[in-house]
Amino acid sequence: MELILVNLIDGLVTGLLLFMLSAGLTLIFSMMGVLNFAHASFYMLGAYFGYQISLALGFWVALLVAPVVVGVMGAGVERYGLRRVHQYGHVPELIFTFGLALLIEELVQFVWGKNQMPFDIPDVLNFTAFAIAGNSIPAYKIFMIFISIAIFIGLLYILTRTRVGMIIQAALSYPKTVEALGHNVPLIFMGVFGVGTALAGVAGVIAGPVLGTFPGMAFVLGSIVFVTIVIGGLGSLWGALVASLLIGWITTFAKAYNLAMSDVLNAIGIATPENLDDNIFRDLWTVTSPQIADILPYILMVLILIFRPYGLFGNRDA
């Protein structure tokens, strides 16, 4: 029971970190219909800017300033890049954001090098919050959980309960009407893109001390972010949250419990072949859950695309 609680907490932290990253991408897609391949690169920039600012001003200032810098950069990318490309369709947008991701990675390596940066957890949070059956739960993980929940509640409130949220949602469905009412729709789009990239920057600052700040960090989480929004439903904030938690718990439990595929097959009535070495499916029989933990989200995505192509919380129009 204690091990289950520890894995639930670890999976919750992983899932909520993934949500912070996917929430910005979901927000951008729901508003603009743009799948930003460079989104994870803004996450990486958040970590590097956070590290650099923390050296001079400390972690807490970095947590406030770095996402703002990333958000301003994101708004600039939308204003002077994506807005010009948007008129030519989705394929040029994808090519533009893909090229931007490569450019950001090269710039990061040029400025900071290829080695991992010593971005450490702040001293005030560098202690054990509590322990479960000898397993320590760091205070920093609890901090990550509360930050993620606060971001979700804040986004949900703004989008559903405020005038700004109403204008944003109206601009998505009826941009010409909203513009006729006196609102600057291109400015709204630029602001949403900036906020979305700033959320990625927040995730980068928070994840940098835990997962490491290195040039390949965008590649590590880049693909799984798109898996998350496909599973949850393109453009759905609730979907992004649920899918992130599912992925976090599935991968955590798969790595924690050494479950053999042979045990699963035997449990459903399939007997182990007598001559396993000569069997063409011998690799399937010997595989264990930790070995396939990282590909389980992709298997789940394939199943979702087969049985519910618009995602868990998406709609057919999306």
Side-chain angles (χ1 to χ4, degrees):
M1 184 62 186
E2 290 83 0
L3 183 58
I4 293 177
L5 287 176
V6 171
N7 288 325
L8 282 174
I9 294 173
D10 288 341
L12 180 64
V13 172
T14 302
L16 288 177
L17 176 61
L18 189 56
F19 167 74
M20 279 195 291
L21 190 53
S22 60
L25 187 59
T26 299
L27 187 64
I28 291 170
F29 180 84
S30 64
M31 266 297 296
M32 306 174 64
V34 176
L35 278 176
N36 180 17
F37 275 143
H39 193 73
S41 299
F42 288 105
Y43 154 78
M44 177 173 65
L45 284 177
Y48 273 95
F49 287 156
Y51 161 72
Q52 200 65 47
I53 295 171
S54 68
L55 293 179
L57 302 174
F59 176 82
W60 301 107
V61 176
L63 182 58
L64 295 174
V65 175
V68 174
V69 175
V70 174
V72 170
M73 291 180 64
V77 167
E78 194 284 329
R79 173 63 182 84
Y80 298 105
L82 269 178
R83 189 177 302 181
R84 299 175 185 271
V85 177
H86 184 71
Q87 58 184 318
Y88 299 108
H90 292 301
V91 174
E93 287 176 344
L94 293 177
I95 295 174
F96 174 81
T97 57
F98 182 73
L100 180 63
L102 296 177
L103 176 63
I104 291 175
E105 183 175 353
E106 291 298 325
L107 286 174
V108 164
Q109 293 186 36
F110 178 78
V111 176
W112 285 281
K114 296 184 178 181
N115 296 326
Q116 181 169 321
M117 297 293 103
F119 194 5
D120 298 323
I121 295 173
D123 293 336
V124 70
L125 293 174
N126 195 12
F127 65 93
T128 299
F130 55 89
I132 301 176
N135 296 286
S136 300
I137 307 298
Y140 194 75
K141 284 189 175 182
I142 306 301
F143 168 73
M144 292 170 67
I145 290 174
F146 279 109
I147 288 291
S148 303
I149 293 175
I151 288 175
F152 173 71
I153 294 174
L155 281 176
L156 195 64
Y157 178 79
I158 290 172
L159 291 175
T160 60
R161 301 290 182 182
T162 65
R163 176 180 171 83
V164 173
M166 292 172 61
I167 294 173
I168 289 174
Q169 295 188 61
L172 169 64
S173 303
Y174 310 103
K176 293 187 181 300
T177 303
V178 172
E179 195 166 14
L181 292 173
H183 298 289
N184 190 336
V185 173
L187 181 63
I188 294 173
F189 284 176
M190 184 179 71
V192 168
F193 197 91
V195 170
T197 53
L199 289 174
V202 173
V205 177
I206 292 177
V210 178
L211 301 182
T213 303
F214 58 98
M217 62 187 299
F219 176 78
V220 171
L221 287 181
S223 59
I224 200 68
V225 173
F226 288 96
V227 171
T228 302
I229 65 171
V230 169
I231 292 174
L234 295 173
S236 171
L237 191 63
W238 275 104
L241 176 64
V242 173
S244 299
L245 293 177
L246 275 176
I247 291 173
W249 280 322
I250 286 173
T251 54
T252 300
F253 277 95
K255 291 176 181 177
Y257 293 91
N258 192 17
L259 184 63
M261 183 61 71
S262 57
D263 295 334
V264 176
L265 295 174
N266 291 335
I268 61 177
I270 301 176
T272 305
E274 293 183 4
N275 231 352
L276 189 58
D277 291 337
D278 297 329
N279 194 287
I280 60 173
F281 297 110
R282 61 183 179 274
D283 291 334
L284 176 63
W285 283 93
T286 56
V287 74
T288 60
S289 59
Q291 291 175 311
I292 62 171
D294 291 331
I295 68 170
L296 288 178
Y298 299 92
I299 296 175
L300 177 60
M301 180 187 70
V302 171
L303 294 174
I304 290 292
L305 288 174
I306 293 172
F307 296 105
R308 191 178 171 87
Y310 42 93
L312 296 176
F313 288 81
N315 56 67
R316 296 179 187 273
D317 295 333

